[in-house]
Amino acid sequence: PVMSLKVPWSKRHKLVTKASAGGLSYSLSNSFAQPLTSKELLDITRQRGDSQYIIDEYLNHSLHYTPNGGSRDLRAEVANHYESSEISASNVIICPGAQVALATVMHTIIGDGKGHAITFRPGYQSVSEGPALVGSRVTTLPLSASYGWQIDVAAVKEAIQPETRIIVINEPYNPAGTLMRLEVQRELIDLAKEHNIYILCDEVYRMLEHEPSKRLPAMAEAYSQGISVVTMSKPWGACGVTIGWIATQDCELIDKISDVQYFGTACPSRASEIQAIMVLRSSEWILERNMQIIRKNKALLVSFMETQKDFFEWVPPCAGAIAAIKFKGPLSSTELGAQLAEEGISIKPAYCFMDDITEENDYFRVGFGEEIMPTALEALHEFVEKRKESWKSAMA
């Protein structure tokens, strides 16, 4: 199949926010949790008391190739973080981040150009447009704030074609930080099972549910043809480790994915693998620290939304460190983003998540996972206060 080149939706944003020159002073764009430093990670690892071997391995490891699909010790560590016995080291493939993982799965399942995929938007472009990039036919269904950013299973059923091979979702959901209801997940799995369709779930914000009791089962555990894609970046803030993974119960599919991966980035960095093991073994402490930051920052954001409710509205987020916000004033999110950038403040306008923006879906994204977020939010508040009277006049 012929792959169609897609211009990254975020390319424009990187230019507006001067990303190549170090970015703006006040960032509300980032979607990850607070990163550790390398020294902090080593210190935490030492404090665990059973970790000297892994530190020695980090300091003295060979620069030899790692195995295709990742070293067994990391794959076993990943498998330990799943509750189901159906997920073992043999059900995991390590990738250099989630982007590569998503593309590799899509190449494997629909890369021959003969299948059909169902995706959703607004969304992360690699999820929404990934199937089209590998040459597949795609039906993209709209999500809306008026429906709580929830997937309409009836609409999915109507979109299924005889050639449909995969449904691609992102839960918890980017850009809104919302979470699919458990009964919706079950209905979607039942529908996919009935039609022998894979479900690929981008789960990069999983483990950052604001109420852990609301956490959904991983798709790789919940469905025999389910595929979970995860990255170290979002929950653990380990963006620079550049490690992600694919997990599925389907061992035959794992073999096919491994074959496709051979022609991409077959061997992850061993240094990154070892850092990923350190992170996963300290996962409980890191996640608790990051959730404390997220809860604190979310409270500030809730207060801002209440104070500025004449100008902004949202579906309150319940997972991750992101929220989708609609500006009710006299500017589009594109125009608002440009004006904010001139004042050194970065948001993610709607064009970062779709290329067919309407009045209904013109929401911008903010991130609130970092310790520096309150300073950026205060800058946004001051920006609004300076302009609110002129906005009110324009809205009258």
Side-chain angles (χ1 to χ4, degrees), residues 45-356:
T45 301
R46 289 189 183 97
Q47 291 167 15
R48 289 184 63 252
D50 62 347
S51 309
Q52 189 56 48
Y53 166 78
I54 200 66
I55 293 174
D56 290 343
E57 172 74 1
Y58 181 66
L59 296 175
N60 300 305
H61 68 274
S62 168
L63 298 185
H64 202 284
Y65 285 120
T66 56
N68 187 192
S71 300
R72 186 168 184 83
D73 55 358
L74 176 54
R75 291 189 289 113
E77 200 67 45
V78 168
N80 287 341
H81 281 260
Y82 290 95
E83 295 179 5
S84 172
S85 60
E86 298 291 340
I87 304 297
S88 69
S90 299
N91 300 95
V92 174
I93 288 181
I94 304 300
C95 299
Q99 290 268 32
V100 173
L102 289 166
T104 304
V105 171
M106 293 180 197
H107 269 290
T108 304
I109 296 175
I110 46 176
D112 62 0
K114 298 177 182 178
H116 171 258
I118 298 172
T119 67
F120 304 86
R121 74 170 55 173
Y124 190 59
Q125 190 173 12
S126 296
V127 177
S128 297
E129 299 226 317
L133 183 63
V134 302
S136 176
R137 291 185 299 108
V138 187
T139 298
T140 300
L141 301 176
L143 301 178
S144 69
S146 61
Y147 198 62
W149 302 111
Q150 293 286 318
I151 289 174
D152 182 350
V153 178
V156 177
K157 183 176 182 178
E158 189 173 332
I160 291 174
Q161 302 176 11
E163 299 81 17
T164 302
R165 296 181 188 172
I166 191 169
I167 299 166
V168 186
I169 65 175
N170 171 208
E171 293 290 339
Y173 172 60
N174 178 18
T178 51
L179 188 61
M180 176 185 284
R181 295 191 301 273
L182 179 60
E183 60 268 26
V184 175
Q185 186 195 55
R186 288 172 175 165
E187 289 173 15
L188 190 65
I189 289 172
D190 288 344
L191 179 65
K193 188 180 299 184
E194 179 184 348
H195 293 273
N196 193 32
I197 296 171
Y198 290 103
I199 300 178
L200 168 59
C201 188
D202 176 350
E203 296 174 348
V204 299
Y205 298 98
R206 191 169 179 269
M207 308 305 292
L208 289 181
E209 293 80 4
H210 303 170
E211 294 182 42
S213 62
K214 300 290 180 66
R215 181 173 301 142
L216 293 172
M219 189 56 68
E221 296 181 283
Y223 178 35
S224 60
Q225 289 181 269
I227 307 155
S228 294
V229 165
V230 184
T231 178
M232 304 297 299
S233 302
K234 309 303 183 185
W236 297 279
C239 317
V241 172
T242 322
I243 287 287
W245 66 79
I246 301 161
T248 180
Q249 297 178 37
D250 189 334
C251 291
E252 182 178 345
L253 179 62
I254 282 284
D255 287 342
K256 292 178 180 178
I257 291 171
S258 183
D259 288 346
V260 171
Q261 188 191 40
Y262 178 84
F263 295 95
T265 308
C267 303
S269 156
R270 182 57 181 160
S272 291
E273 285 191 329
I274 297 168
Q275 285 184 310
I277 291 170
M278 292 180 187
V279 169
L280 290 173
R281 289 181 179 176
S282 299
S283 178
E284 185 175 348
W285 184 92
I286 294 171
L287 290 176
E288 179 54 35
R289 184 206 65 153
N290 289 347
M291 283 309 307
Q292 288 177 6
I293 296 169
I294 287 170
R295 290 188 183 102
K296 176 183 175 183
N297 289 347
K298 180 184 175 182
L300 296 174
L301 189 57
V302 168
S303 177
F304 169 85
M305 291 296 293
E306 178 61 28
T307 300
Q308 306 294 355
K309 60 186 176 183
D310 289 344
F311 303 104
F312 300 97
E313 64 183 25
W314 66 350
V315 176
C318 60
I322 50 175
I325 298 174
K326 185 173 183 62
F327 181 56
K328 298 191 286 184
L331 302 171
S332 67
S333 69
T334 299
E335 294 166 334
L336 178 65
Q339 289 191 15
L340 284 166
E342 291 175 1
E343 300 296 320
I345 305 166
S346 171
I347 60 170
K348 281 276 182 87
Y351 63 72
C352 293
F353 305 100
M354 73 196 92
D355 53 13
D356 51 351

